[in-house]
Amino acid sequence: MPTRFKAFFLRHQEFFILFLLFVVFRLLAILLLRPGGLIADASDYDFYSVWGQLGAMGYRTFETLWTAYPPLFPWLMLPVFELSSRIPPWVEPRFFFHLLFGLELLLFECGNLILIYRLARSMAAGEGETGD
């Protein structure tokens, strides 16, 4: 088994380095960038935060909003908002929502990077190069 893993790692070594750099860059961006930005205090995360706040007040928010169909994104975002609202605010009231939501989206971004890599390898294999 270890030789099989070593062969797999050596075959995809460049991708693992790229993947590690991608994850580290995104984690640093999530942790170090100020919620809302330094120049303008507007972000998509603020829209999602308001969505969560209104839902917590008992309102059925954006019920006819077509951007939320299929409602996969609200199903992912609203539990994160509920969890972050249970954590006491630290420096910025929106910090924990931005942090947790960014970490959740990082999982999907990593999955997209892996899928793009696999698609590129399969396309290269179709052109005559060796694939998996």
Side-chain angles (χ1 to χ4, degrees), residues 61-118:
T61 56
F62 307 115
E63 194 170 291
T64 59
L65 185 66
W66 280 97
T67 60
Y69 187 82
L72 177 64
F73 200 73
W75 288 342
L76 294 172
M77 182 268 308
L78 290 173
V80 170
F81 179 80
E82 185 177 333
L83 176 67
S84 68
S85 66
R86 296 173 190 265
I87 303 171
W90 186 34
V91 177
E92 168 82 26
R94 301 170 292 177
F95 175 73
F96 287 111
F97 175 69
H98 283 241
L99 177 68
L100 295 175
F101 192 51
L103 290 175
E104 182 181 36
L105 291 180
L106 177 62
L107 295 174
F108 290 96
E109 291 169 358
C110 290
N112 285 338
L113 184 63
I114 292 169
L115 289 175
I116 289 171
Y117 173 71
R118 291 187 54 110

Side-chain angles (χ1 to χ4, degrees), residues 42-68:
S43 169
D44 288 350
Y45 285 23
D46 295 333
F47 171 74
Y48 306 131
S49 179
V50 168
W51 194 338
Q53 288 171 355
L54 291 175
M57 291 179 195
Y59 295 108
R60 296 189 64 174
T61 56
F62 307 115
E63 194 170 291
T64 59
L65 185 66
W66 280 97
T67 60

